[in-house]
Amino acid sequence: MVTAAGVILLVMALGAAEMSDHESRSGTNSSPAPACRDAAPHLVERLVGHRASYLPPSFDCVLEDGTTYPSSGGYVWVNGLVVTCAVVSVLLAVGARYRADVTFFD
């Protein structure tokens, strides 16, 4: 169940990054990326682009001086939860294997 939760969270984060990337390439009012405009309205004049990453999932906004800022703090939380789910899954699998090897009756 923990593995499934981690996979679901990863798919949701990938979908969010793809949706932000698609939104920045489609239709009127798509540049600068809406996710970047919403994240920091005071920096809109300095935006020159965006960068989507899929491993780990993120959508970063690029300023004219080359620095970036995240379009959403949610990616940090989701990526942390995915890693936590992966670690817990491995620990549970190792624990189950250890438990199966222990004999209670000789």
Side-chain angles (χ1 to χ4, degrees):
M1 300 257 322
V2 175
T3 303
V7 169
I8 289 169
L9 287 169
L10 182 61
V11 168
M12 287 173 51
L14 289 170
E18 177 59 32
M19 186 176 71
S20 292
D21 189 40
H22 176 72
E23 195 175 43
S24 69
R25 292 181 281 120
S26 302
T28 58
N29 202 23
S30 62
S31 182
C36 294
R37 287 192 311 244
D38 296 342
H42 62 284
L43 295 175
V44 170
E45 298 81 30
R46 297 180 48 212
L47 282 172
V48 294
H50 63 276
R51 191 174 18 202
S53 171
Y54 297 102
L55 284 175
S58 68
F59 190 79
D60 296 328
C61 307
V62 181
L63 299 174
E64 57 194 10
D65 62 357
T67 60
T68 62
Y69 66 91
S71 64
S72 172
Y75 290 110
V76 174
W77 285 98
V78 171
N79 289 334
L81 287 172
V82 168
V83 169
T84 301
C85 287
V87 169
V88 169
S89 294
V90 169
L91 291 175
L92 287 172
V94 169
R97 177 72 178 162
Y98 174 75
R99 180 81 173 162
D101 288 342
V102 174
T103 57
F104 293 103
F105 303 105
D106 289 330

